[in-house]
Amino acid sequence: MEQKKFEFNMAQIGRRISGLRKDQNMTQMELADKLGISFQAVSNWERGNTMPDIGKLPELAEIFRVTIDELLGETSGLVNSAAQGDMERYIEENPVTVEEFAQAAPLLPPIQAEAGFEKLTARNPRIRLRDVEGILPYIGRDVVDELALKYADSSDWKDLDVIAPFVSGHVLGQIADKLAAEGKNIEDIAPYLDSEHIDHAALVYEAASQWGYLEDIAPFISRTMLEQIAGRLAEAGKYGSLEDFLPFLGAETVAALARKAYEDHGTGGAEAFMPFLPDAVKQEIARKEYDRNGLGGLEEIACFLNRDYLNGLVKEALDKGGFKTPGLL
């Protein structure tokens, strides 16, 4: 038999509380006084902004002479047991779904939410991280850290981006170091890592020639580290691997690399750098090539040059006695 999906609707619960209060001819302030809370809390409930704490549900139900199920508009043994302080036993004895617990979690105090979550995961060890995403904001950092470490060692490690925003920085860094050492891509958790662990992963990927992984985390690598890696690639003549990092490098570094690429491979080597260079550096490279090989050598980079500058070189060539460069202009 398929279990009914359990879901709270805060707006509907708020309207229900408001209607029951008015049926009792009671003001928000009077209800707040009976519950020992602020009238602003009652106002937020009735507007659907927040939910009553689980501990207040029995009091509310008693004041309004209704059951907790009638108050919430849903039948949930989990919520009823939590309101009575008996949630852990209920989870042990009943088939509570992840969805039901996720819907109840906003009502639970953190300690109760953590205890219930630990019981839930103990009974369902194969729960996927994406299934518990809605519960994570309501459980403590230590519990989340333990969960992250567990899944980092499982086949579901690719889902760690779900849990990353809630994991302690040092634990997430430890996980990133481990994944990188195992040759795994940390792209999905990179936005949540500090520069130290990102840079460490970059060095690991460089050493393993995992250029695709290195490209994936390039936006998060520190400028200093990325420029060091780029310099080493250039020294090794690996310009093809270098191209993907150009958008993330400083202007001076790109200019220096473009000059080296030109010296090593001519305009063919410099071509990939041209979109990232200022006009002055483009013209510097073009001038060198013109002086060495005339207009014919500019064909690969002509489309990146300022038209007035290119026309000037053409005029200069004409003044020197003509040229043969079909398709240059």
Side-chain angles (χ1 to χ4, degrees), residues 177-192:
D177 291 349
K178 173 184 179 298
L179 294 177
E182 293 172 353
K184 296 173 180 176
N185 194 342
I186 66 166
E187 176 188 12
D188 290 338
I189 63 172
Y192 309 102

Side-chain angles (χ1 to χ4, degrees), residues 54-55 57-59 68 77-87 112:
I54 195 82
L57 294 182
E59 295 179 67
I68 292 176
L78 175 63
V79 172
N80 278 289
S81 65
Q84 303 302 326
D86 200 23
M87 182 184 64
Q112 203 168 3

Side-chain angles (χ1 to χ4, degrees), residues 6-7 9 20 43-44 51 87 100 123 130 146 176 224 254 272 328:
F6 180 77
E7 184 173 3
N9 184 309
L20 290 168
S43 176
N44 282 328
M51 293 276 281
M87 182 184 64
E100 183 176 0
R123 289 198 62 185
R130 296 199 180 279
E146 184 178 342
T224 299
V254 174
L328 181 61

Side-chain angles (χ1 to χ4, degrees), residues 108-139:
L108 302 174
I111 292 177
Q112 203 168 3
E114 288 178 17
F117 182 73
E118 289 177 343
K119 289 286 184 183
L120 184 69
T121 52
R123 289 198 62 185
N124 302 276
R126 299 292 298 172
I127 288 177
R128 295 174 64 249
L129 282 178
R130 296 199 180 279
D131 294 334
V132 301
E133 185 174 3
I135 302 173
L136 298 176
Y138 306 104
I139 58 178

Side-chain angles (χ1 to χ4, degrees), residues 6 8 13 17 35 45 51-74 76 78-84 104 106-108:
F6 180 77
F8 286 129
I13 292 172
I17 292 173
L35 295 169
W45 295 348
M51 293 276 281
D53 295 335
I54 195 82
K56 295 297 180 184
L57 294 182
E59 295 179 67
L60 273 171
E62 183 178 354
I63 290 170
F64 294 147
R65 302 189 186 95
V66 296
T67 66
I68 292 176
D69 291 341
E70 290 172 328
L71 183 65
L72 298 178
E74 291 280 357
S76 170
L78 175 63
V79 172
N80 278 289
S81 65
Q84 303 302 326
L107 292 167
L108 302 174

